Amino acid sequence: DIQMTQSPSSLSASVGDRVIITCQASQDIGDYLNWYQQKPGKAPKLLINDASNLETGVPSRFSGSGYGTYFTLTISSLQAEDTATYYCQQYGNRPTFGQGTKVEIK
Amino acid sequence: EVQLMESGGGLVQPGRSLRLSCATSGFTFGDYAVSWFRQAPGKGLEWVGFIRTKPYGGTTEYAASVKGRFIISRDDNRSIASLHMSSLKSEDTAVYYCARGRIRITLAGAVVADASDIWGQGTVVTVSS
């Protein structure tokens, strides 16, 4: 199975900060990469599909980029409501998730 | 409103079986693949398996950890998907989610479910004696 490695595992940043989460695949997955946000006790929410396509209704401060084995999720200006755990997921072959990045407000 | 809702979770003894249901509404169920995911207490997300749409045979794929023990099925007439779990182990304890996704044919020719855009709220399965 394809391994997905996220970094960092957790971070603490101030409101208004730019936050970048990285996700590395163990082999080339093209753009078959999604990003999800999960808040405690809730189901995951799809933020970005196919590496860079923002889901309808998701704030424009979220963006995704990358292709092949290296991907990033960027929050351009962190807001209090962005406190959550973020997961990358490849779906090209037997879907797998990264281990998650917990984002907290400093 | 597009909705998915899981049911059927509970406490079950190791080695026993349990059937989860995923009732859907607000969209054409037959046009979508259905994936199942789980999340063990305090852990990350894990893909369990998915079922393709009928035009693609309604066939299934499973994670290695559940293959041979779990079966996913779908009833397009009732807009319901099911996850039948057997030979349950303590490590199957988790919140189980169903989610819909579009069928995608990859460059390699695989027929997969792409992004899971709508999820159910989850149902808790506890495997313990």
Side-chain angles (χ1 to χ4, degrees):
Chain A
D1 288 355
I2 298 173
Q3 305 302 314
M4 307 299 292
T5 303
Q6 273 184 248
S7 182
S9 56
S10 65
L11 66 89
S12 181
S14 299
V15 171
D17 282 355
R18 182 182 183 91
V19 168
I20 298 175
I21 299 169
T22 67
C23 180
Q24 191 143 7
S26 61
Q27 63 188 72
D28 190 338
I29 59 170
D31 62 356
Y32 299 149
L33 190 284
N34 305 315
W35 289 97
Y36 297 90
Q37 176 193 65
Q38 187 179 33
K39 297 186 177 182
K42 300 294 187 181
K45 174 187 175 182
L46 178 65
L47 297 178
I48 289 170
N49 67 80
D50 293 346
S52 62
N53 295 326
L54 196 67
E55 278 292 294
T56 301
V58 174
S60 59
R61 63 181 179 273
F62 291 93
S63 64
S65 66
Y67 190 89
T69 62
Y70 187 79
F71 303 86
T72 61
L73 172 70
T74 300
I75 309 173
S76 60
S77 178
L78 188 67
Q79 303 299 304
E81 60 266 32
D82 300 335
T83 297
T85 300
Y86 295 83
Y87 295 92
C88 62
Q89 177 216 25
Q90 66 79 20
Y91 68 87
N93 179 27
R94 306 180 67 77
T96 48
F97 290 88
Q99 78 276 20
T101 297
K102 187 173 184 179
V103 174
E104 296 177 322
I105 301 296
K106 194 181 293 183
Chain B
E1 183 187 5
V2 174
Q3 286 189 321
L4 291 86
M5 184 174 293
E6 305 90 343
S7 62
L11 174 64
V12 60
Q13 292 180 328
R16 304 297 292 266
S17 299
L18 195 65
R19 186 182 192 92
L20 306 182
S21 294
C22 174
T24 74
S25 61
F27 65 100
T28 303
F29 180 75
D31 288 348
Y32 287 82
V34 176
S35 297
W36 285 90
F37 302 91
R38 67 184 181 182
Q39 188 168 34
K43 302 297 185 182
L45 296 166
E46 179 186 14
W47 171 75
V48 171
F50 82 98
I51 186 165
R52 298 176 177 89
T53 57
K54 287 295 172 61
Y56 291 96
T59 51
T60 52
E61 302 290 342
Y62 300 96
S65 58
V66 306
K67 194 171 184 178
R69 300 189 298 124
F70 289 13
I71 296 173
I72 298 171
S73 61
R74 63 187 298 151
D75 182 338
D76 287 5
N77 293 323
R78 297 173 59 209
S79 300
I80 292 175
S82 298
L83 176 65
H84 185 248
M85 306 182 293
S86 61
S87 303
L88 282 162
K89 309 173 182 179
S90 58
E91 51 263 44
D92 296 318
T93 294
V95 178
Y96 283 75
Y97 298 99
C98 62
R100 73 171 195 179
R102 287 283 190 186
I103 287 291
R104 171 78 67 90
I105 301 175
T106 70
L107 291 176
V111 181
V112 301
D114 69 7
S116 295
D117 63 343
I118 306 293
W119 295 57
Q121 84 289 350
T123 188
V124 178
V125 173
T126 303
V127 184
S128 175
S129 54

